């Protein structure tokens, strides 16, 4: 049998384990050789699965449920102690968008999640676009209930810090938690880390970024003591396009004027004051700074500056707008929000032209209808291109040419910068997560590479679940 090299990529590579000769093991949980045993001394085997999903955000938790519902034995790895990704770790709201003119564009498990959350009193659906305002704590609870009911094994408080690959096939991922380092083997892996961490560690080629331009990071926070019954907030807190633009224009204009007159304040976006379903409280999205979230020193420093900005803006709001005169920072999000970082170079890259013209691919597996929404990395501006028709996403944007058992979903799929600026929203990420989960289970059931699965069969399953394709 052909000898290929297995490589262990650990954040801090463990000396002596870098290159090992073993037999290939496509779609198999069988790294039971001497070298595998050596690695397990450092990182004992915690579980062997059909599908391992890395990252429990909108893409990841839906992917895990989808794979499990197609009969796969599934694990989900999440570095925080709860699920939801940017919705719960970034206080990003609302979930955008499921519909166009009251017609669902993204259906199936993502919509089932919304309806379940609504039945728990945790979601308010803003028709006609079906932006979803939500209660952050009930979102976490609803996620975990649906994940557990699907029979998925949960590894929370676990950061994925490495992977072991043979050729281009990923054998296992290494996680770090209170137990130390642990190994999880699987036949197929789905990278839903937002930043494409697993793909990056496995040396998957990424989209080029020649201009070194990234959308800025924003640190969202909850302001309480806000007069949410006021006319101003009632106009600004909704995103249905009926009450007016969701960006709070009166506040924006006054802040821009103050800035032009020399009042010292950082750059800001919006502001957006998002409904969290609790009287007196809003989730505020207005801070912004350019950063690279994949560079730890850079991101840590930016987050400290953004935290200062939160309190600077709170003071400004308090002193200049009567609706905010009693407000206070009730909570800052567990982390600053990330709009853009790594994206894989997939078999197909979704381009802005395809996206805006709603090009329908043979292997379309999901949709998107949010505007292309590019926030300037510096300054207060934002470019928006509204879509007339819902766009499509091909299965080929979730896979690479060479890696037989890796799928990605969510923010790190293969798109150009413009298409990402729409597809990054949470309903769209759930849509690609649903497709990736279903595809992973299908690859396992048929012992096929992810590149070889029957996409007509995949689309059939997604439609049965309610996807609008
Ligand atoms: C400021 C801001 C405002 C936004 N506004 C909106 C909006 O109004 N509406 C909307 O729908 N979208 C909005 N978005 C976009 C949206 O929130 C994200 O693009 C979306 O959440 C991406 O989903 P995801 O599942 O790909 O990744 P994420 O939501 O980032 O989830 C990734 C998950 O993986 C986990 N993870 C990452 N790395 C590891 C690792 N190594 N090991 C273990 N776990 C890991 C993370 O903890 C996280 O839970 C906004 C984003 C930002 C930053």
């Amino acid at each position: 049998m052909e000898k290929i090299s297995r490589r262990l990529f650990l954040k801090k590579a463990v000396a002596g384990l870098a290159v090992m000769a073993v037999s290939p093991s496509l779609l198999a949980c069988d790294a039971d050789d001497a070298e595998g045993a050596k690695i397990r001394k450092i990182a004992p085997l915690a579980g062997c699965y059909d599908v391992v999903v890395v990252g429990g955000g909108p893409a990841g938790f839906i992917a895990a449920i989808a794979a499990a519902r197609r009969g796969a034995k599934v694990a989900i790895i999440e570095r925080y102690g709860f699920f939801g990704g940017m919705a719960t770790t970034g206080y990003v709201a609302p979930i955008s968008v499921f519909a166009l003119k009251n017609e669902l564009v993204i259906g199936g498990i993502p919509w089932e999640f919304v309806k379940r959350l609504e039945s728990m009193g945790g979601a308010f659906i803003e028709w006609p676009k079906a932006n979803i305002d939500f209660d952050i704590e009930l979102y976490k609870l609803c996620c975990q209930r649906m994940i557990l009911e699907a029979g998925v094994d949960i590894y929370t408080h676990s950061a994925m810090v490495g992977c072991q690959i043979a050729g281009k096939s990923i054998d296992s991922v290494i996680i770090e938690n209170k137990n130390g380092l642990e190994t999880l083997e699987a036949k197929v892996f789905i990278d839903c880390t937002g930043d494409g961490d697993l793909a990056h560690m496995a040396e998957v080629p990424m989209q080029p970024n020649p201009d070194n331009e990234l959308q800025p990071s924003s640190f969202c926070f909850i302001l309480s003591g806000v007069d949410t019954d006021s006319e101003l907030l009632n106009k600004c807190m909704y995103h249905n396009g009926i009450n007016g633009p969701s960006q709070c224009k009166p506040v924006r204009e006054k802040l821009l004027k103050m800035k032009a007159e020399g009042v010292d304040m950082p750059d800001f976006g919006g502001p957006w004051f998002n409904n969290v379903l609790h009287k007196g409280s809003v989730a505020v999205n207005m801070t912004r700074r350019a950063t690279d979230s994949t560079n730890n020193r850079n991101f840590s420093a930016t987050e400290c500056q953004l935290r200062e900005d939160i309190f600077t803006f709170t003071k400004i709001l308090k002193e200049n707008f009567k609706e905010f005169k009693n407000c206070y920072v009730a909570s800052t999000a567990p982390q600053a929000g990330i709009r853009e970082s790594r994206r894989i170079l997939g078999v197909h890259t979704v381009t802005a032209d395809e996206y805006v013209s709603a090009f329908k691919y043979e292997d379309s597996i999901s949709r998107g209808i949010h505007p292309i929404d590019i926030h300037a990395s510096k300054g207060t501006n934002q470019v928006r291109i509204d879509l007339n028709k819902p766009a499509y996403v091909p299965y080929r944007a979730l896979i690479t040419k060479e890696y037989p058992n890796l799928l990605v979903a969510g923010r790190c799929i293969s798109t150009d910068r413009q298409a990402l600026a729409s597809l990054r929203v949470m309903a769209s990420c759930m849509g690609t997560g649903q497709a990736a989960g279903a595809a992973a289970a299908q690859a396992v059931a048929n012992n096929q590479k992810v590149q070889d699965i029957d996409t007509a069969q995949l689309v059939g399953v997604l439609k049965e679940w309610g996807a609008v394709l």
Side-chain angles (χ1 to χ4, degrees):
M1 207 183 243
E2 183 200 2
K3 288 279 182 191
I4 55 174
S5 68
R6 174 186 295 161
R7 286 162 296 154
L8 173 70
F9 294 100
L10 210 47
K11 271 194 172 162
K12 296 265 182 227
V14 180
L17 285 177
V19 178
M20 296 156 182
V22 292
S23 304
S25 57
L26 176 66
L27 302 198
C29 264
D30 64 356
D32 237 351
D33 49 76
E35 300 301 351
K38 203 163 152 189
I39 290 166
R40 283 190 208 143
K41 273 198 177 155
I42 302 166
L45 185 67
C48 187
Y49 292 92
D50 292 328
V51 178
V52 163
V53 179
V54 188
F61 85 83
I62 296 287
I65 295 167
R69 287 197 187 168
R70 280 198 90 184
K73 185 182 175 201
V74 183
I76 187 165
I77 300 166
E78 169 53 50
R79 66 183 158 169
Y80 290 106
F82 52 85
F83 299 99
M86 279 292 127
T88 54
T89 68
Y91 292 176
V92 162
I95 310 174
S96 316
V97 290
F98 284 89
L100 174 68
K101 297 181 185 160
N102 295 307
E103 296 277 338
L104 269 196
V105 165
I106 294 169
I109 301 170
W111 188 246
E112 181 189 326
F113 168 73
V114 170
K115 297 301 284 180
R116 176 86 174 258
L117 188 56
E118 185 188 37
S119 74
M120 291 164 67
F124 174 67
I125 304 173
E126 289 184 27
W127 297 104
K129 295 182 184 175
N131 272 293
I132 315 299
D133 303 333
F134 58 90
D135 175 308
I136 294 166
E137 295 307 320
L138 287 172
Y139 188 122
K140 295 177 191 171
L141 184 65
C142 188
C143 272
Q144 83 178 38
R145 282 186 182 165
M146 285 181 68
I147 292 169
L148 289 169
E149 283 164 13
V152 175
D153 282 359
I154 285 178
Y155 294 79
T156 45
H157 297 292
S158 298
M160 193 271 309
V161 292
C163 67
Q164 221 193 128
I165 73 172
K168 299 288 181 192
S169 181
I170 300 173
D171 277 347
S172 62
V173 289
I174 316 281
I175 58 174
E176 196 269 329
N177 56 37
K178 284 284 183 185
N179 296 358
L181 293 178
E182 296 185 312
T183 298
L184 289 185
E185 288 182 1
K187 295 173 182 164
V188 176
F189 294 85
I190 311 179
D191 185 340
C192 296
T193 58
D195 292 327
D197 282 7
L198 175 56
H200 171 70
M201 280 178 205
E203 296 187 329
V204 169
M206 294 289 160
Q207 293 287 336
N209 184 9
D211 304 328
N212 219 9
E213 185 70 20
L214 292 170
Q215 292 199 47
S217 175
S218 297
F219 207 160
C220 298
F221 56 104
I222 306 291
L223 268 190
S224 293
V226 176
D227 184 0
T228 46
D229 290 333
S230 63
E231 199 189 331
L232 178 78
L233 268 302
N234 266 295
K235 276 217 161 108
C236 297
M237 270 168 48
Y238 300 97
H239 312 79
N240 51 15
I242 294 169
N243 297 11
S246 57
Q247 193 181 61
C248 197
K249 282 222 162 137
V251 175
R252 179 178 176 80
E253 275 155 23
K254 186 159 175 181
L255 291 180
L256 285 175
K257 189 161 173 277
M258 287 166 67
K259 204 168 163 62
E261 286 166 359
V263 175
D264 187 23
M265 73 176 82
D267 286 337
F268 62 89
W272 292 270
F273 301 116
N274 298 308
N275 183 10
V276 290
L277 310 194
H278 294 284
K279 192 175 157 83
S281 294
V282 285
V284 183
N285 173 0
M286 72 185 295
T287 66
R288 61 159 54 169
R289 283 184 187 261
T291 193
D292 176 2
S293 62
T294 62
N295 176 322
N296 174 266
R297 262 17 67 76
N298 196 316
F299 189 60
S300 302
T302 308
E303 207 174 45
C304 287
Q305 293 169 323
L306 286 167
R307 192 179 301 280
E308 292 286 351
D309 296 348
I310 288 175
F311 287 88
T312 303
F313 282 122
T314 300
K315 185 164 181 290
I316 291 172
L317 290 172
K318 228 173 141 60
E319 289 173 356
N320 291 280
F321 300 91
K322 65 178 187 321
E323 298 80 0
F324 291 91
K325 71 173 194 284
N326 297 318
C327 76
Y328 60 95
V329 177
S331 172
T332 57
Q335 68 156 87
I338 299 156
R339 291 188 174 87
E340 181 175 1
S341 59
R342 303 185 194 107
R343 296 182 308 286
I344 63 156
L345 197 58
V347 173
H348 184 88
T349 295
V350 181
T351 65
D353 284 351
E354 291 168 357
Y355 199 75
V356 172
S357 64
F359 182 81
K360 190 168 182 186
Y361 314 86
E362 259 181 35
D363 58 341
S364 296
I365 43 77
S366 193
R367 310 291 291 273
I369 185 60
H370 191 69
I372 289 184
D373 179 11
I374 306 183
H375 297 244
S377 61
K378 294 203 177 77
T380 55
N381 290 333
Q382 179 188 5
V383 176
R384 264 177 76 112
I385 305 169
D386 285 302
L387 305 180
N388 297 321
K389 288 179 278 182
Y392 291 91
V393 186
Y395 174 66
R396 285 163 297 145
L398 313 188
I399 54 173
T400 67
K401 282 198 180 115
E402 293 186 305
Y403 289 69
N405 66 342
L406 175 67
L407 285 143
V408 304
R411 190 162 58 75
C412 46
I413 67 168
S414 186
T415 67
D416 67 14
R417 286 198 71 218
Q418 288 74 22
L420 165 80
S422 166
L423 278 172
R424 67 188 178 87
V425 293
M426 293 184 280
S428 303
C429 290
M430 289 179 179
T432 55
Q434 168 168 253
Q442 189 173 317
V444 170
N446 299 319
N447 195 28
Q448 284 176 313
K449 297 179 185 176
V450 294
Q451 290 83 358
D452 293 343
I453 68 162
D454 178 351
T455 50
Q457 190 191 346
L458 172 65
V459 169
V461 169
L462 296 171
K463 281 185 177 167
E464 251 172 53
W465 285 352
V468 186
L469 299 168

